[in-house]
Amino acid sequence: MKRTGEYILAIVGILLSIILTFIGILFIALKQNDGIRQAIEGELTNDPTITMEDLSMVMDAIGGFGWMIIVASGIGIVLGLVSIFILKSERQTMAGVFFIITAVLVGLLSVGLGLLQAVLFLIAGIMCLVRKPKNIEKDPYVTV
């Protein structure tokens, strides 16, 4: 049985996870960029209720969020590739379970940014579990 749909969904999910990795790297770069920090500080001088401690806390949160996105997308890439290799070895049920585990981990760890990848992996996992090869048994009483 051809599993083209599952392969396409998994490959698109992996590609989107690679893009998400670059977004995580961007968040980390934003945290470390002094020009952006100074621009934010300049804007915060207009608002007296926000202190520099708040700015530091926000910048640290941006860096932590970037690392969380990188970890989630890395898990999506690795487990997505593992699932594809399992699917190629004709073990559809196991591949389906791996796709669903990948979907749950990417969806939860990426805090919503990996929702599209999670949905694609989930659909691929459900397709692996639900689609079964057709068993065409010949009726011994019918001659062709």
Side-chain angles (χ1 to χ4, degrees):
M1 173 178 210
K2 290 188 175 184
R3 297 283 181 173
T4 307
E6 289 91 332
Y7 288 124
I8 290 173
L9 289 171
I11 290 170
V12 170
I14 290 169
L15 291 175
L16 289 175
S17 290
I18 291 170
I19 292 170
L20 190 64
T21 302
F22 290 120
I23 292 173
I25 291 170
L26 178 70
F27 275 114
I28 293 171
L30 287 175
K31 178 190 181 254
Q32 297 174 352
N33 191 338
D34 289 331
I36 292 175
R37 185 179 197 87
Q38 290 172 357
I40 293 173
E41 285 176 5
E43 289 295 321
L44 291 180
T45 56
N46 298 334
D47 189 2
T49 60
I50 299 176
T51 64
M52 288 300 168
E53 292 174 0
D54 294 336
L55 171 68
S56 176
M57 189 170 44
V58 167
M59 295 305 278
D60 289 340
I62 288 173
F65 188 63
W67 280 110
M68 192 174 359
I69 290 171
I70 289 174
V71 168
S73 61
I75 289 172
I77 293 167
V78 171
L79 286 180
L81 288 173
V82 168
S83 301
I84 286 175
F85 289 126
I86 292 172
L87 185 61
K88 283 188 178 201
S89 70
E90 302 291 326
R91 297 168 74 186
Q92 290 82 18
T93 305
M94 186 179 210
V97 170
F98 266 82
F99 277 130
I100 292 173
I101 290 171
T102 304
V104 169
L105 289 175
V106 169
L108 291 177
L109 291 178
S110 67
V111 193
L113 279 179
L115 186 61
L116 184 58
Q117 295 94 295
V119 169
L120 292 174
F121 287 132
L122 183 65
I123 292 170
I126 292 171
M127 286 174 68
C128 284
L129 295 175
V130 173
R131 291 178 58 200
K132 302 290 180 194
K134 295 179 184 177
N135 290 333
I136 302 174
E137 296 179 13
K138 291 188 176 184
D139 190 0
Y141 302 108
V142 177
T143 57
V144 179

